[in-house]
Amino acid sequence: MLYYADEHLVIRDMTDRDALAIVEGEHAQGWVNASPEKYYAHMRDRQAGRCACLVAVLDGAPVGYIQIYWNPENGPFANQNIPELVDFGVLGKVRRQGIGTKLMDAAEQFVAHRSDRIAIGVGMHSGYGAAQRMYVLRGYVPDGTGVWYRDRVCPEYADCCNDDDLVLYLSKSLKQSL
């Protein structure tokens, strides 16, 4: 399915070949643990009807991705039929060119046909700083449950590690304002 297209950028459903190209790009930017298996797992979930997998292709090269899980199984929105954006990224070499914004726009427009609300979880360490800022500027607000660590609410004063498993969940209304 095609979600967006202009003369340089196309956003469409992800394929196995896209996953391999993205992993090559991740390796090139120093992500030594990058593996196509996470993308293949998302695409298996897509085949099972649990999600949509979008890829951004710039001048023929896959450079970004986002998954939309229709009814997430974890987090504060679990089993509430509130779609959640998962595993969103743009390769470093093409950041700050509007590709992430176009991916988010396409995902939100796609979700708006099924739901009036959308959710996302964002990591808390500085590596997610740009994403944290972007989500707030797009109108996402924290859900009020505090931070989560390894798919559970992190209790007050609990020890945790500021790694990729420390997450703040946000949501946004997709209803058009009058």
Side-chain angles (χ1 to χ4, degrees), residues 62-81:
V63 296
Y65 50 88
I66 194 167
Q67 277 66 239
I68 305 162
Y69 275 80
W70 301 116
N71 190 21
E73 297 176 359
N74 299 304
F77 304 104
N79 303 310
Q80 295 182 42
N81 290 308

Side-chain angles (χ1 to χ4, degrees), residues 94-153:
V94 296
R95 287 189 184 151
R96 306 208 46 88
Q97 296 180 32
I99 296 166
T101 296
K102 294 284 192 219
L103 267 169
M104 289 290 292
D105 290 346
E108 288 175 1
Q109 289 169 10
F110 188 40
V111 168
H113 294 289
R114 292 178 70 157
S115 177
D116 63 359
R117 194 165 169 211
I118 191 168
I120 195 164
V122 63
M124 298 309 304
H125 64 70
S126 61
Y128 291 101
Q132 294 164 358
R133 182 173 162 70
M134 180 176 79
Y135 302 150
V136 169
L137 291 172
R138 292 183 69 88
Y140 287 80
V141 296
D143 76 304
T145 61
V147 295
W148 287 59
Y149 188 63
R150 296 188 175 158
D151 293 326
R152 296 180 191 266
V153 171

Side-chain angles (χ1 to χ4, degrees), residues 5-84:
D6 65 26
E7 63 184 278
H8 297 285
L9 183 68
V10 172
I11 298 175
R12 58 168 170 72
D13 287 327
M14 181 180 278
T15 67
D16 288 354
R17 196 177 325 174
D18 298 327
L20 292 171
I22 289 170
V23 168
E24 284 179 19
E26 290 172 338
H27 286 160
Q29 66 189 29
W31 295 6
V32 294
N33 294 327
S35 165
E37 181 50 40
K38 80 170 183 174
Y39 302 105
Y40 296 157
H42 290 308
M43 287 186 281
R44 285 191 299 272
D45 285 346
R46 177 182 63 201
Q47 289 174 338
R50 290 191 285 273
C51 75
C53 303
L54 283 59
V55 63
V57 180
L58 181 65
D59 295 324
V63 296
Y65 50 88
I66 194 167
Q67 277 66 239
I68 305 162
Y69 275 80
W70 301 116
N71 190 21
E73 297 176 359
N74 299 304
F77 304 104
N79 303 310
Q80 295 182 42
N81 290 308
I82 298 170
E84 182 180 332

